[in-house]
């Protein structure tokens, strides 16, 4: 028995040595050009959604891809990374999105007091997306914490509030913070209660003191280069009056592009985006190589807010090539209660515009929708979690979307791999 154990130990040692050599070789291969080789892993969610679908050709097609080899895809964009479960715009969130096959990652770009660019969804969201209120930096916030006013019946008369801006603090101070899930408790009477408001269908599991690492825009570029993904920075609308300390809106738009140039990133790997058409036209006119892929984000709240055919054509005539509306704007329901491409989506394609759609996985359980923003035009045709895969299919096939933003890229990545989308 002892001899057998020794022999087995030697065999395991040889095998371990061989695996170590193979792992080292793979790591060296993946590190060529500074890129990390991504082994795409989607986790259980796509399979759960497919199993939950109504029976039919699409479900059968998607089931046939269950054992398919997976690759990153540019059809799948990590919206703020993977914020369904990870604090947005953090190293961990971005790495999770890349692991789920997102071929493009987003850094929303705000600026600090010392005019450095950082990844934040809004200039004034630090109180809901970071731990700033629990740190000494809270005293630098534009508006400190104010507890909720609650009447004798337990009703909120005035919700709890605070406002902390990236422009309130320096880059060094920003980097000292930790990201958390974007949320707040409007009933809070203490700071601790205020920051503890994560929706029950999200999680705080990955928002600990040793995670949630915030990023500068420059750091995001280097991380994205390492991950081998393309990049879509969004220039955020400032809440401060511009120019800010001599920093104009055009300076802001130019600085964003300059940081890609300085990092040696090719224009074809960058999709700069903004809700302000003036930012987009600035890139089209002043930085035409980057402007060719500039994305005009549509901030419509209802169908009535959407541009008509003539307006969409005017975008293309001015040199804009990509229009990015919210999910509801691209979809409609026909007389058979089927989800189809909307009139606006058809008008955009007729005008020669590519479409990028935002954003899936921000609505909680689809079976519980009740006036949801993203599904407002198709809510009556959505009744179960598996309907998400139908939505993706219509956006891909009927709408002809170039890409889809998602807070959890795995289902979009699965669909793209199954259908052979790049």
């Amino acid at each position: 028995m002892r001899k057998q154990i020794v022999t087995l130990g030697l065999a395991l040692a040889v095998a371990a040595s061989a695996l170590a050599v193979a792992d080292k070789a793979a790591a060296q291969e993946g590190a060529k050009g500074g890129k990390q080789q991504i082994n795409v892993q989607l986790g259980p969610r796509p399979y759960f959604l497919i199993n939950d679908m109504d029976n039919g050709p699409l479900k059968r097609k998607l089931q046939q891809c269950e054992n398919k080899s997976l690759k990153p895809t540019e059809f799948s964009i990590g919206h703020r990374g993977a914020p369904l479960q990870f604090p947005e715009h953090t190293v961990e969130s971005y790495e999770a999105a890349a692991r789920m096959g997102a071929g493009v990652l987003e850094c929303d770009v705000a600026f600090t007091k010392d005019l450095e660019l950082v990844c934040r969804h809004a200039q004034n969201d630090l109180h809901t997306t970071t731990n700033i209120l629990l740190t000494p930096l809270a005293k630098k916030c534009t508006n400190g914490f104010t507890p909720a006013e609650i009447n004798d019946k337990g009703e909120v008369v005035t919700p709890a509030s605070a406002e902390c801006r990236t422009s309130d603090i320096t880059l060094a101070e920003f980097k000292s913070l930790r990201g958390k899930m974007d949320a707040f408790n409007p009933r809070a009477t203490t700071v601790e209660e205020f920051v503890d408001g994560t929706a029950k269908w999200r999680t705080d599991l990955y928002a600990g003191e040793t995670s949630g690492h915030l990023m500068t825009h420059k750091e995001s570029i280097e991380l994205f280069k390492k991950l081998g993904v393309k990049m879509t920075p969004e220039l955020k609308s400032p809440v401060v009056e511009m120019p800010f300390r001599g920093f104009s809106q055009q300076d802001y738009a130019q600085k964003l592009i300059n940081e890609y140039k300085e990092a040696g990133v090719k224009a074809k790997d960058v999709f700069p985006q903004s809700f302000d058409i003036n930012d987009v036209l600035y890139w089209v006119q002043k930085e035409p190589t980057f402007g060719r892929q500039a994305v005009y984000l549509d901030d419509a709240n209802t169908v009535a807010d959407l541009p008509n055919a003539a307006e969409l054509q005017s975008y293309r005539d001015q040199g804009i090539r990509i229009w990015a509306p919210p999910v509801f704007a691209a979809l409609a329901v026909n007389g058979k209660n089927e989800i189809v491409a909307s009139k606006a989506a058809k008008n955009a394609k007729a005008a020669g515009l590519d479409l990028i759609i935002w954003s899936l996985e921000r609505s909680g359980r689809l079976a519980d929708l009740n006036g949801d923003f993203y599904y407002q035009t198709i809510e009556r045709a959505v009744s179960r979690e598996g309907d998400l895969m139908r939505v993706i299919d219509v956006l891909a096939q009927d709408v002809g979307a170039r890409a889809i933003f998602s807070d959890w890229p795995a289902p979009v990545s699965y669909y793209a791999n199954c259908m052979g989308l790049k």
Side-chain angles (χ1 to χ4, degrees):
M1 177 64 74
R2 182 178 178 83
K3 182 177 181 181
Q4 289 175 332
I5 293 173
V6 171
T7 302
L8 177 60
L10 288 172
L12 290 173
V14 171
S17 178
L19 285 172
V21 171
D23 288 345
K24 183 176 180 180
Q28 290 174 339
E29 179 66 24
K32 287 181 179 179
K35 293 182 180 179
Q36 176 181 333
Q37 191 174 30
I38 298 293
N39 176 20
V40 175
Q41 300 173 10
L42 302 183
R45 183 158 176 76
Y47 308 95
F48 159 76
L49 294 172
I50 293 166
N51 287 337
D52 190 61
M53 293 176 68
D54 287 325
N55 291 327
L58 178 60
K59 180 174 183 176
R60 290 192 292 273
K61 169 64 176 175
L62 293 173
Q63 285 176 326
Q64 292 171 2
C65 297
E66 287 185 351
N67 296 313
K68 183 181 177 69
S69 178
L70 303 170
K71 298 179 180 179
T73 168
E74 293 176 22
F75 186 71
S76 179
I77 303 177
H79 179 239
R80 316 184 200 178
L84 181 65
Q85 293 195 21
F86 289 82
E88 63 189 45
H89 295 308
T90 61
V91 173
E92 294 82 0
S93 187
Y94 289 137
E95 289 179 338
R99 180 66 69 188
M100 286 187 278
V104 184
L105 296 180
E106 178 193 44
C107 167
D108 290 328
V109 181
F111 56 82
T112 60
K113 185 176 182 178
D114 46 355
L115 307 182
E116 296 294 335
L117 303 186
V118 296
C119 297
R120 282 295 90 196
H121 177 248
Q123 188 181 45
N124 60 337
D125 72 1
L126 295 183
H127 52 289
T128 64
T129 65
T130 76
N131 64 340
I132 190 169
L133 290 176
L134 300 172
T135 76
L137 291 174
K139 63 180 181 294
K140 295 192 174 185
C141 292
T142 295
N143 294 307
F145 170 70
T146 300
E149 181 183 350
I150 300 175
N151 64 22
D152 294 339
K153 297 179 180 179
E155 300 168 332
V156 176
V157 178
T158 305
S161 65
E163 184 183 9
C164 302
R165 303 174 177 177
T166 57
S167 53
D168 288 335
I169 58 177
T170 66
L171 177 61
E173 291 168 334
F174 174 84
K175 288 288 291 179
S176 73
L177 301 175
R178 282 288 181 268
K180 74 174 194 70
M181 297 302 283
D182 183 13
F184 76 101
N185 177 3
R187 298 182 60 87
T189 57
T190 67
V191 169
E192 289 74 16
E193 290 177 346
F194 183 84
V195 300
D196 186 22
T198 302
K200 62 184 179 181
W201 45 271
R202 293 180 182 266
T203 180
D204 288 316
L205 186 61
Y206 305 106
E209 293 183 3
T210 59
S211 58
H213 293 87
L214 304 189
M215 303 199 74
T216 68
H217 180 234
K218 288 181 180 179
E219 288 172 337
S220 77
I221 293 172
E222 293 307 314
L223 177 62
F224 297 170
K225 286 167 64 177
K226 177 183 176 182
L227 294 172
V229 300
K230 292 190 176 182
M231 314 170 193
T232 183
E234 181 189 332
L235 196 72
K236 303 307 299 187
S237 298
V239 295
V240 295
E241 184 177 350
M242 299 292 278
F244 176 77
R245 306 184 73 182
F247 192 56
S248 71
Q249 185 67 26
Q250 290 190 345
D251 293 334
Y252 185 23
Q254 187 63 53
K255 185 176 179 68
L256 181 146
I257 298 299
N258 288 347
E259 293 195 349
Y260 288 96
K261 290 180 174 181
E262 292 163 4
V265 177
K266 296 179 180 178
K268 67 180 182 63
D269 293 333
V270 183
F271 296 83
Q273 47 174 334
S274 178
F275 282 101
D276 187 338
I277 195 170
N278 294 313
D279 294 335
V280 179
L281 292 176
Y282 175 86
W283 293 322
V284 167
Q285 295 161 9
K286 302 295 185 180
E287 291 286 350
T289 56
F290 286 88
R292 286 182 63 83
Q293 293 193 152
V295 180
Y296 181 33
L297 296 162
D298 198 303
D299 61 356
N301 287 312
T302 67
V303 172
D305 299 326
L306 292 171
N308 59 33
E311 290 171 313
L312 289 164
Q313 186 61 58
S314 74
Y315 300 161
R316 186 65 187 85
D317 293 343
Q318 294 177 82
I320 297 171
R321 296 169 181 266
I322 305 174
W323 178 56
V327 172
F328 81 83
L331 301 175
V333 177
N334 65 15
K336 298 179 181 180
N337 207 38
E338 298 169 329
I339 302 172
V340 296
S342 69
K343 181 179 180 180
K346 293 176 181 177
N347 286 341
K349 297 299 285 188
L353 293 165
D354 284 346
L355 281 81
I356 293 177
I357 310 300
W358 57 272
S359 295
L360 296 182
E361 302 282 33
R362 293 192 63 78
S363 303
R365 290 188 295 267
L366 300 192
D368 300 332
L369 294 176
N370 184 18
D372 181 81
F373 170 80
Y374 293 96
Y375 289 84
Q376 61 184 274
T377 54
I378 60 169
E379 189 171 319
R380 65 186 175 91
V382 175
S383 61
R384 58 196 305 161
E385 307 316 307
D387 287 336
L388 180 70
M389 302 309 294
R390 283 203 298 133
V391 169
I392 295 171
D393 183 61
V394 175
L395 290 174
Q397 305 301 332
D398 294 3
V399 173
R402 177 172 181 160
I404 300 174
F405 280 96
S406 179
D407 280 19
W408 198 248
V412 178
S413 298
Y414 183 102
Y415 179 91
N417 273 272
C418 187
M419 299 298 181
L421 305 180
K422 295 183 178 180

